[in-house]
Amino acid sequence: GLVALIAKGYRGLAYLFLVPPLLYRIHRWEITDEAVYTLSGWLVREWRIAPISRVQTVDTQHGPLQQLLKLASVTVTTASAKGPVTIRGLAADDAAELARVLTATTQATPGDAT
């Protein structure tokens, strides 16, 4: 009962204080006029590059926990079989600005987005 609830609360607090700094250390991203670059993964590191000319959509997501922490994710979708490129844990205002800049850059870049 109560002990399990308290233990669950401590696990939640530990997650809240330990995981974001770890995620910050293992996730990297960069946006240039040519591409969106992301690096992620704990043991297996994955480097993804999405050329701006291939970007089809740019979306922002704000899940319940993200809303509570005023964070957001930006997802860049291309025609890649590997799936979209996602940048997680951004400040909500930064995510909105990133989505705006990516959209403007994509519209100004010639390409077929396929």
Side-chain angles (χ1 to χ4, degrees), residues 3 6-7 10 12 21 26 31 48 50 53 58 65 85 93-94 100 109:
V3 172
I6 291 171
Y10 282 126
I26 65 169
I31 307 297
R48 301 275 313 273
S53 63
V58 178
L65 183 58
V85 172
D93 291 342
D94 293 342
R100 186 196 67 73
T109 303

Side-chain angles (χ1 to χ4, degrees), residues 24-44:
Y24 178 77
R25 293 176 109 169
I26 65 169
H27 292 284
R28 296 283 185 251
W29 62 274
E30 182 180 354
I31 307 297
T32 68
D33 289 340
E34 292 81 32
V36 177
Y37 303 89
T38 62
L39 177 64
S40 62
W42 295 80
L43 297 175
V44 177

Side-chain angles (χ1 to χ4, degrees), residues 6 8-9 12 40 44 46 53 57 59 62 80 83 85 97 104-105 109 111-112:
I6 291 171
K8 194 176 203 178
S40 62
V44 177
E46 180 180 43
S53 63
T57 62
D59 303 302
H62 308 267
S80 170
V85 172
E97 178 63 12
T105 303
T109 303
D112 59 6

Side-chain angles (χ1 to χ4, degrees), residues 79-99:
S80 170
K82 190 74 170 166
V85 172
T86 302
I87 301 167
R88 294 178 176 85
L90 298 171
D93 291 342
D94 293 342
E97 178 63 12
L98 177 60

